[in-house]
Amino acid sequence: MLVLILAGAPCLPMWWLRRLFFHLLLFIKLKRFQRELSHRLGWPVELRITYGQYYPAVAYTVPSYPVTNDWCPQFTFGFSRKRRGVLLHYLTFPGELRYRQHGRFCVEWINQTARQLGMDYLVLGAYPEAEAFWLKMGFTRLTVQEWYQYWC
């Protein structure tokens, strides 16, 4: 159990404490998922958290994966607390890692985590060849105008 003690600190506003709690909880969840994904893939997974357009933006990559003509394993997404949603940027696995339930594992984790953190939706753009996967995972196809209503 993690206990945070702010001894001698002036009285902090409630919004600041909520933000601190959100980021602390998110960091713990991200580190735990990093270990689980590394174990599933059999490769060390690197976690990178940045703060920019999305707050925060999270990237899981496998930099030590052998160079191939295909994609390197990557799972990248960003949170928008203001819009109360998650934007999934990339979920890619090289051919030899596909069809092993890694994508399903990542999508189920991000759905569950987003719900626990109070997010209302998950939005993404997909290549046409990946559309069947997303429909199977329970996602609905949006028009460009609908997508902009959620994210832009």
Side-chain angles (χ1 to χ4, degrees):
M1 175 182 225
L2 180 65
V3 177
L4 180 64
I5 300 173
L6 299 171
C11 184
L12 298 172
M14 198 57 150
W15 66 266
W16 195 88
L17 290 173
R18 279 195 301 269
R19 180 179 285 174
L20 176 66
F21 180 72
F22 173 84
H23 288 282
L24 187 59
L25 180 63
L26 179 61
F27 181 75
I28 292 167
K29 288 179 174 295
L30 293 173
K31 290 302 282 183
R32 183 179 298 145
F33 181 74
Q34 179 186 16
R35 284 192 308 271
E36 292 173 14
L37 190 58
S38 291
H39 178 71
R40 285 182 66 95
L41 294 176
W43 291 89
V45 173
E46 180 180 282
L47 168 63
R48 189 175 66 249
I49 303 170
T50 57
Y51 294 87
Q53 183 179 3
Y54 306 109
Y55 190 75
V58 179
Y60 290 101
T61 57
V62 182
S64 61
Y65 195 80
V67 176
T68 65
N69 292 337
D70 210 344
W71 297 91
C72 119
Q74 186 171 329
F75 182 35
T76 309
F77 52 91
F79 290 90
S80 174
R81 291 192 64 214
K82 183 173 116 183
R83 291 182 124 344
R84 299 186 57 84
V86 178
L87 175 63
L88 181 59
H89 295 284
Y90 295 105
L91 177 59
T92 58
F93 293 101
E96 59 272 9
L97 290 177
R98 291 186 188 146
Y99 307 107
R100 295 186 182 177
Q101 304 295 313
H102 300 312
R104 175 178 293 279
F105 174 70
C106 292
V107 171
E108 288 173 352
W109 178 83
I110 192 69
N111 271 331
Q112 178 185 17
T113 300
R115 266 189 259 111
Q116 290 172 349
L117 294 173
M119 301 293 154
D120 294 331
Y121 60 88
L122 174 68
V123 68
L124 59 101
Y127 289 108
E129 57 271 14
E131 189 174 337
F133 168 77
W134 293 109
L135 293 173
K136 187 169 66 174
M137 292 301 301
F139 286 79
T140 305
R141 185 173 195 186
L142 301 175
T143 64
V144 173
Q145 293 81 12
E146 290 171 325
W147 190 88
Y148 276 110
Q149 287 176 352
Y150 280 102
W151 205 257
C152 296

